[in-house]
Amino acid sequence: MTDNLFKQLPRSTEKNEQFSELLKQPGLRIERIVSTGQSSPADFWYDQPGGEWVLLIQGEAKLRFADEAEARHLQTGDYLDIAAQRKHRVDWTPSGEITIWLAIHY
């Protein structure tokens, strides 16, 4: 079966991020995340039991790690590996624009 990562994108004015699971196997989950100006709540940190590799397919975002003073400004094509239990959060995605993430959880 063929599908498309850019299919069924939300409008750029959506209130909530859109999470779409693309593949799930034991020990592996691949998802598309579409942001349209959302960020993590001020007091919230992701603290995940497994690793996560993320690729910014489209747009830009600021990703902050609890152990770093400044947020990292990610742009289209940037990717990084987030170790298990490394606290992180999304500080910013541009309002009125579509930001597409590909996240591989392992």
Side-chain angles (χ1 to χ4, degrees), residues 8 13-14 17 19-20 25 28 33 42 48-49 55 60 63 71 75 87 96-97 105:
Q8 297 179 344
T13 56
E14 281 293 318
E17 280 184 306
F19 294 83
S20 303
Q25 297 290 326
L28 175 71
I33 305 166
Q48 301 167 155
L55 166 65
E60 58 183 319
L63 186 67
Q75 298 178 321
K87 292 182 180 179
E97 295 181 30
H105 301 269

mmCIF file of all heavy atoms in Angstrom, residues 8 13-14 17 19-20 25 28 33 42 48-49 55 60 63 71 75 87 96-97 105:
data_model
loop_
_atom_site.group_PDB
_atom_site.id
_atom_site.type_symbol
_atom_site.label_atom_id
_atom_site.label_comp_id
_atom_site.label_asym_id
_atom_site.label_seq_id
_atom_site.Cartn_x
_atom_site.Cartn_y
_atom_site.Cartn_z
ATOM 1 N N GLN A 8 -3.701 14.883 3.515
ATOM 2 C CA GLN A 8 -4.589 15.232 4.622
ATOM 3 C C GLN A 8 -3.914 16.105 5.681
ATOM 4 O O GLN A 8 -4.021 15.856 6.878
ATOM 5 C CB GLN A 8 -5.166 13.969 5.263
ATOM 6 C CG GLN A 8 -6.017 13.169 4.321
ATOM 7 C CD GLN A 8 -6.579 11.910 4.940
ATOM 8 O OE1 GLN A 8 -6.132 11.453 5.973
ATOM 9 N NE2 GLN A 8 -7.578 11.348 4.290
ATOM 10 N N THR A 13 -4.534 26.953 10.516
ATOM 11 C CA THR A 13 -5.167 27.611 11.660
ATOM 12 C C THR A 13 -5.695 26.609 12.691
ATOM 13 O O THR A 13 -6.441 26.990 13.589
ATOM 14 C CB THR A 13 -6.332 28.500 11.181
ATOM 15 O OG1 THR A 13 -7.242 27.687 10.437
ATOM 16 C CG2 THR A 13 -5.832 29.638 10.319
ATOM 17 N N GLU A 14 -5.328 25.347 12.562
ATOM 18 C CA GLU A 14 -5.802 24.327 13.503
ATOM 19 C C GLU A 14 -5.375 24.663 14.933
ATOM 20 O O GLU A 14 -4.276 25.161 15.165
ATOM 21 C CB GLU A 14 -5.237 22.954 13.146
ATOM 22 C CG GLU A 14 -5.944 22.281 12.014
ATOM 23 C CD GLU A 14 -7.373 21.883 12.336
ATOM 24 O OE1 GLU A 14 -7.655 21.374 13.431
ATOM 25 O OE2 GLU A 14 -8.216 22.088 11.448
ATOM 26 N N GLU A 17 -2.186 20.195 17.542
ATOM 27 C CA GLU A 17 -1.267 19.462 16.687
ATOM 28 C C GLU A 17 -1.948 18.183 16.221
ATOM 29 O O GLU A 17 -2.828 17.648 16.891
ATOM 30 C CB GLU A 17 0.004 19.077 17.460
ATOM 31 C CG GLU A 17 0.993 20.192 17.584
ATOM 32 C CD GLU A 17 2.267 19.733 18.257
ATOM 33 O OE1 GLU A 17 2.189 19.177 19.368
ATOM 34 O OE2 GLU A 17 3.336 19.959 17.682
ATOM 35 N N PHE A 19 -1.286 14.247 15.216
ATOM 36 C CA PHE A 19 -0.375 13.108 15.323
ATOM 37 C C PHE A 19 -0.950 11.964 14.501
ATOM 38 O O PHE A 19 -2.095 11.567 14.706
ATOM 39 C CB PHE A 19 -0.229 12.657 16.783
ATOM 40 C CG PHE A 19 0.437 13.666 17.664
ATOM 41 C CD1 PHE A 19 -0.281 14.708 18.213
ATOM 42 C CD2 PHE A 19 1.793 13.582 17.937
ATOM 43 C CE1 PHE A 19 0.321 15.647 19.039
ATOM 44 C CE2 PHE A 19 2.418 14.515 18.755
ATOM 45 C CZ PHE A 19 1.678 15.550 19.298
ATOM 46 N N SER A 20 -0.152 11.435 13.562
ATOM 47 C CA SER A 20 -0.588 10.322 12.716
ATOM 48 C C SER A 20 0.446 9.210 12.789
ATOM 49 O O SER A 20 1.612 9.409 12.413
ATOM 50 C CB SER A 20 -0.732 10.771 11.261
ATOM 51 O OG SER A 20 -1.632 11.841 11.145
ATOM 52 N N GLN A 25 5.654 -1.317 14.957
ATOM 53 C CA GLN A 25 6.185 -2.671 15.068
ATOM 54 C C GLN A 25 6.762 -2.794 16.481
ATOM 55 O O GLN A 25 7.024 -1.781 17.131
ATOM 56 C CB GLN A 25 7.290 -2.910 14.029
ATOM 57 C CG GLN A 25 6.840 -2.820 12.591
ATOM 58 C CD GLN A 25 5.954 -3.974 12.191
ATOM 59 O OE1 GLN A 25 6.117 -5.096 12.653
ATOM 60 N NE2 GLN A 25 4.977 -3.705 11.336
ATOM 61 N N LEU A 28 9.362 -0.184 17.713
ATOM 62 C CA LEU A 28 9.489 0.869 16.708
ATOM 63 C C LEU A 28 8.121 1.496 16.429
ATOM 64 O O LEU A 28 7.128 0.792 16.250
ATOM 65 C CB LEU A 28 10.033 0.286 15.396
ATOM 66 C CG LEU A 28 10.125 1.238 14.207
ATOM 67 C CD1 LEU A 28 11.228 2.257 14.415
ATOM 68 C CD2 LEU A 28 10.356 0.455 12.925
ATOM 69 N N ILE A 33 3.960 14.315 12.746
ATOM 70 C CA ILE A 33 3.389 15.332 13.638
ATOM 71 C C ILE A 33 3.279 16.611 12.820
ATOM 72 O O ILE A 33 4.247 17.024 12.177
ATOM 73 C CB ILE A 33 4.271 15.569 14.871
ATOM 74 C CG1 ILE A 33 4.530 14.251 15.616
ATOM 75 C CG2 ILE A 33 3.626 16.612 15.795
ATOM 76 C CD1 ILE A 33 5.644 14.320 16.634
ATOM 77 N N ALA A 42 4.253 25.677 29.327
ATOM 78 C CA ALA A 42 5.451 26.233 29.974
ATOM 79 C C ALA A 42 6.100 25.294 30.994
ATOM 80 O O ALA A 42 7.320 25.266 31.123
ATOM 81 C CB ALA A 42 5.107 27.562 30.635
ATOM 82 N N GLN A 48 10.636 10.627 27.843
ATOM 83 C CA GLN A 48 10.183 9.385 27.226
ATOM 84 C C GLN A 48 11.085 8.207 27.576
ATOM 85 O O GLN A 48 12.300 8.364 27.672
ATOM 86 C CB GLN A 48 10.116 9.569 25.707
ATOM 87 C CG GLN A 48 9.183 10.688 25.322
ATOM 88 C CD GLN A 48 9.295 11.128 23.873
ATOM 89 O OE1 GLN A 48 8.339 11.643 23.353
ATOM 90 N NE2 GLN A 48 10.421 10.936 23.221
ATOM 91 N N PRO A 49 10.496 7.020 27.736
ATOM 92 C CA PRO A 49 11.289 5.841 28.099
ATOM 93 C C PRO A 49 12.184 5.317 26.972
ATOM 94 O O PRO A 49 13.152 4.620 27.236
ATOM 95 C CB PRO A 49 10.222 4.804 28.468
ATOM 96 C CG PRO A 49 9.010 5.223 27.711
ATOM 97 C CD PRO A 49 9.073 6.725 27.636
ATOM 98 N N LEU A 55 12.974 14.370 12.381
ATOM 99 C CA LEU A 55 13.372 15.082 11.176
ATOM 100 C C LEU A 55 12.312 16.136 10.906
ATOM 101 O O LEU A 55 11.117 15.833 10.909
ATOM 102 C CB LEU A 55 13.442 14.108 9.990
ATOM 103 C CG LEU A 55 13.522 14.700 8.584
ATOM 104 C CD1 LEU A 55 14.812 15.475 8.384
ATOM 105 C CD2 LEU A 55 13.403 13.578 7.546
ATOM 106 N N GLU A 60 9.710 25.199 10.507
ATOM 107 C CA GLU A 60 10.759 25.431 11.491
ATOM 108 C C GLU A 60 10.165 25.312 12.889
ATOM 109 O O GLU A 60 8.954 25.347 13.077
ATOM 110 C CB GLU A 60 11.427 26.784 11.286
ATOM 111 C CG GLU A 60 10.491 27.966 11.340
ATOM 112 C CD GLU A 60 11.200 29.282 11.046
ATOM 113 O OE1 GLU A 60 12.324 29.491 11.523
ATOM 114 O OE2 GLU A 60 10.605 30.113 10.343
ATOM 115 N N LEU A 63 13.311 23.716 19.592
ATOM 116 C CA LEU A 63 13.262 22.564 20.480
ATOM 117 C C LEU A 63 14.243 22.813 21.618
ATOM 118 O O LEU A 63 15.411 23.120 21.373
ATOM 119 C CB LEU A 63 13.638 21.299 19.708
ATOM 120 C CG LEU A 63 13.504 19.982 20.429
ATOM 121 C CD1 LEU A 63 12.023 19.669 20.704
ATOM 122 C CD2 LEU A 63 14.121 18.851 19.618
ATOM 123 N N ALA A 71 17.272 27.165 23.342
ATOM 124 C CA ALA A 71 16.536 26.271 22.447
ATOM 125 C C ALA A 71 17.283 26.144 21.123
ATOM 126 O O ALA A 71 17.947 27.085 20.682
ATOM 127 C CB ALA A 71 15.126 26.811 22.209
ATOM 128 N N GLN A 75 15.276 23.912 11.260
ATOM 129 C CA GLN A 75 14.687 24.322 9.992
ATOM 130 C C GLN A 75 14.532 23.103 9.102
ATOM 131 O O GLN A 75 15.076 22.032 9.395
ATOM 132 C CB GLN A 75 15.556 25.392 9.335
ATOM 133 C CG GLN A 75 15.640 26.641 10.198
ATOM 134 C CD GLN A 75 16.541 27.703 9.592
ATOM 135 O OE1 GLN A 75 17.575 27.407 9.024
ATOM 136 N NE2 GLN A 75 16.122 28.949 9.726
ATOM 137 N N LYS A 87 14.993 15.057 28.812
ATOM 138 C CA LYS A 87 13.850 15.961 28.871
ATOM 139 C C LYS A 87 13.954 17.029 27.795
ATOM 140 O O LYS A 87 14.988 17.678 27.648
ATOM 141 C CB LYS A 87 13.751 16.607 30.251
ATOM 142 C CG LYS A 87 13.396 15.623 31.332
ATOM 143 C CD LYS A 87 13.257 16.323 32.664
ATOM 144 C CE LYS A 87 12.894 15.305 33.733
ATOM 145 N NZ LYS A 87 12.775 15.947 35.043
ATOM 146 N N GLY A 96 0.248 30.091 11.964
ATOM 147 C CA GLY A 96 -0.237 30.320 10.613
ATOM 148 C C GLY A 96 0.553 29.600 9.538
ATOM 149 O O GLY A 96 0.311 29.800 8.356
ATOM 150 N N GLU A 97 1.511 28.761 9.947
ATOM 151 C CA GLU A 97 2.300 27.975 8.996
ATOM 152 C C GLU A 97 2.234 26.512 9.393
ATOM 153 O O GLU A 97 1.992 26.188 10.551
ATOM 154 C CB GLU A 97 3.758 28.439 8.985
ATOM 155 C CG GLU A 97 3.949 29.850 8.476
ATOM 156 C CD GLU A 97 5.412 30.262 8.455
ATOM 157 O OE1 GLU A 97 6.273 29.382 8.282
ATOM 158 O OE2 GLU A 97 5.681 31.446 8.630
ATOM 159 N N HIS A 105 10.268 6.612 16.955
ATOM 160 C CA HIS A 105 10.448 6.212 18.353
ATOM 161 C C HIS A 105 10.986 4.791 18.362
ATOM 162 O O HIS A 105 10.435 3.914 17.702
ATOM 163 C CB HIS A 105 9.103 6.265 19.093
ATOM 164 C CG HIS A 105 8.476 7.616 19.088
ATOM 165 N ND1 HIS A 105 8.696 8.550 20.068
ATOM 166 C CD2 HIS A 105 7.628 8.205 18.196
ATOM 167 C CE1 HIS A 105 8.002 9.647 19.795
ATOM 168 N NE2 HIS A 105 7.358 9.454 18.658
#
